[in-house]
Amino acid sequence: MVRVPEEVSGVALTVKGGRDVTTDPPRAAAADHAVRPRRGLNTWSYTIGLMCSDFLLAWVSLAIGLALLGMVSRNPENHLSNFWVNYPHGTAYPIGIVLGMAISGSYRMSRRSPTQSTFSELQSYTTGIAFGGVLTLGLSYVAHHFAYYTVQVTTQVLSAMVVSVVLLPIGHALLRREVLRQTPVRVLIVDGGEGVARFTTHLRLQQGVQVVGWLATTESQPPGALGRLSDLERVIREHGVDRIVVGSTGDFEGDHLAEYRRAMELADVALVPRVHELVSWRSQLTELSGLPLLETVPPQMTGWDRFTKRTFDLAVGTVLFVLTLPFVLVIALAVKLSSPGPVLFRQQRLGRHRRTFTILKFRTLRVDAARGDDGDDAVGPSSDVPLHEARGKRVAAERVTPIGAFLRRTGLDELPQFVNVLTGSMSIVGPRPFVTAESEPPSGWAARRFDFRPGITGLWQVSGRNELTAEELRQLDYLYVTSWALWWDIKICVDTPRAMIRGLGAY
């Protein structure tokens, strides 16, 4: 039976103009075949806004860069006393930055990828700023040759570039957030039905995204679907769809392929790889005589990789342990005063190489003499329902203490696990630490999760947590282990606070 979330079930689904698609008669499709105008991030006004933001922030970056350089440089030309002499001569820098960002394709990428995080596009920003720095020096020399303009000092440009790498992405993120708040990206899922629930869960994690519903690729129209593939153009126009996510659809042949090609003229189209369980962000799209190939990453981790990961764990774990220590003491006192019982909850979990260890968490449930635990109920590896259903999380909510509900929703109940990180039984980022009953007896590809220490956070936590099934979590763990990179750990750490604040999948 296909599990369809309420958000895409067609019940009381509101579309543009406040209309309810379950009660209003469908609007006739447009008679003409004119391309539907794009909106939000797909407008030229958004691109112009990015260019204006970069231009202004480039001036700010130049000012901050000159100030910082003046405090550390021994060159008299860079001293703070010459700030108002050097600053007006930096006119070429903002122009060069805007041109560099345009040449590198950063503006085009921002329009094409509305659901990508700013962190994911950091490499694109860095490339654009590097181009901008080179163009600045070139423009400066040209202006000096033809107009006897003062040549921009290279160290001053470099200092401004360093600041720009920080400020420009922040400016893009704030502008994108505001545009998405005013005009969210309306997403339509095209799928056979099996992946609708999972795709919806991932889309719900993205701010500024609205799932308007899903379209079935099956011969018959399942309950909750907005229509079949032959209705694609009508649904796009009728519901104001901005982006289409194509999942499991069968063969792309004949009339089906024509439908997708027509849809690309009306909305952005994103394809979920058919074997997305094997594809990660490190996978690379290559070309073989016109045939596109999606190359996966070899599932290998060197000794240097393990050393780097452990060094990252110790460095980040030590800093966070010290910074969170005052909060830990306050939470411990609150747990103690909220209900009788121990402050910490201890439970046996399986770690690296299947070695058992004791995980530490703040107690969030009232102590039940009949059960005497505060942990997660075990769920079998074949469970195909969300973990919160398999474990009866909603039933267990009756035992949650007043402070426990807040700790669970925000994930602060896991702060004591920094002790596990420092003692070597856990990692900052890693596979989900399943309870012992859930961890046996995986074999084959699923057993690769035991190659790593389990993590306080991980790909599972920023992808839906208890909204996913046990099988989906195992697939995410496998994908993380076989595609590990330090950059991915950093990205997951950056995404974790957002997942904690939103509380998606926390019970």
Side-chain angles (χ1 to χ4, degrees), residues 168-205:
L168 263 63
I170 293 177
H172 280 224
L174 294 177
L175 182 59
R176 175 184 297 184
R177 183 183 182 91
E178 178 61 22
V179 172
L180 289 177
R181 185 186 67 81
Q182 296 182 11
T183 56
V185 177
R186 299 175 62 81
V187 178
L188 173 70
I189 300 174
V190 178
D191 190 80
E194 297 82 0
V196 173
R198 181 172 181 180
F199 300 154
T200 303
T201 298
H202 286 280
L203 289 169
R204 285 173 58 197
L205 287 170

Side-chain angles (χ1 to χ4, degrees), residues 49-68:
L50 290 175
M51 297 174 67
C52 293
S53 171
D54 289 347
F55 186 81
L56 294 176
L57 289 177
W59 275 114
V60 176
S61 299
L62 179 63
I64 297 176
L66 291 176
L68 294 176

Side-chain angles (χ1 to χ4, degrees), residues 349-357 425 449-454:
R349 304 284 180 106
L350 286 186
R352 186 184 177 192
H353 301 322
R354 298 180 184 267
R355 298 191 185 100
T356 59
F357 72 97
S425 57
R449 68 184 316 276
F450 297 115
D451 292 351
F452 278 27
R453 296 178 178 88

Side-chain angles (χ1 to χ4, degrees), residues 12 100 105 125 132 152 172 239 244 281 284 391 405 432 483:
Y125 295 136
Q152 186 74 47
H172 280 224
H239 295 273
I244 303 170
W281 70 282
Q284 184 178 4
R391 291 174 171 157
R432 187 181 186 280
S483 305

